[in-house]
Amino acid sequence: MSRLTLHTLDTAPADSRPFVEKAIANNGFLPNLIGVLANAPLALETYLTVSGINARASLTLMEREVVQITAARIHGCDFCIAGHSAISLKKAGQTPDTVRALQHGQPTNDAKLDAVAAFATAVIATRGAVSDAEYQTFLAAGYNEQQALEVVLGISLATLCNFSNSLAGTPVNLQLTPYLPGAV
């Protein structure tokens, strides 16, 4: 049970309703994260705006999902692990083995994805003050300064979602439970 009100389209504040409608149209259901964020129309707008900006990053969809799953795992947000695992499998065409590895912080056997996961982990652990060695390892994997900052962008998006879900105790939608750790 959510600690914060879990809004529907009918109960959402008027300023949140257009965003709720868009989420339903995009997903075919209302993700509970959106129902929670609807309590604060500006938080919901920020989430959707930053999501759109993050989608334009030079990192690939799967690289962006690595950042999201890594942050959600570190922050203890099963809702976001499930949601981003679903995207990784359905939209990014990733294998279940890779997604399971990411969910558990294990190597994926894809050097580039592992470099993104390691860098995201270091950024979170050090609050951005990664060591020169960690930064150079990221660059040596074929990434650049722009993409280092795009990892930070992805972490900022994840932090909004992960922390909101933790505050609310957001339940995982039934549509996402097949993507929870241990279910993939």
Side-chain angles (χ1 to χ4, degrees):
M1 172 137 202
S2 180
R3 183 174 9 181
L4 301 180
T5 302
L6 188 57
H7 284 287
T8 66
L9 178 59
D10 294 333
T11 66
D15 288 346
S16 290
R17 285 192 188 135
F19 303 118
V20 171
E21 288 172 344
K22 182 178 179 179
I24 293 169
N26 288 342
N27 294 287
F29 67 97
L30 180 61
N32 289 337
L33 167 65
I34 303 299
V36 165
L37 288 176
N39 284 290
L42 289 177
L44 180 53
E45 181 180 7
T46 298
Y47 165 70
L48 294 171
T49 300
V50 175
S51 292
I53 292 166
N54 191 53
R56 298 191 329 254
S58 66
L59 294 170
T60 67
L61 173 60
M62 191 57 213
E63 290 164 342
R64 294 190 311 269
E65 292 308 309
V66 167
V67 173
Q68 296 303 306
I69 293 170
T70 299
R73 178 184 54 76
I74 292 168
H75 294 149
C77 183
D78 282 347
F79 183 95
C80 290
I81 292 173
H84 290 286
S85 294
I87 293 168
S88 297
L89 291 163
K90 292 178 170 185
K91 294 183 179 178
Q94 201 46 256
T95 66
D97 286 342
T98 296
V99 171
R100 276 192 295 275
L102 290 167
Q103 289 179 338
H104 298 288
Q106 302 296 319
T108 66
N109 296 317
D110 180 312
K112 289 205 69 157
L113 296 183
D114 289 344
V116 172
F119 188 68
T121 298
V123 169
I124 294 167
T126 65
R127 295 182 307 268
V130 300
S131 70
D132 288 341
E134 289 164 324
Y135 181 59
Q136 290 305 317
T137 299
F138 181 72
L139 296 177
Y143 295 103
N144 59 41
E145 293 175 356
Q146 174 183 335
Q147 291 163 323
L149 291 169
E150 289 174 355
V151 168
V152 175
L153 169 65
I155 292 167
S156 72
L157 175 62
T159 302
L160 171 62
C161 301
N162 302 164
F163 288 16
S164 295
N165 283 326
S166 292
L167 172 66
T170 307
V172 178
N173 294 75
L174 288 177
Q175 296 90 335
L176 298 175
T177 58
Y179 305 99
L180 283 166
V184 173

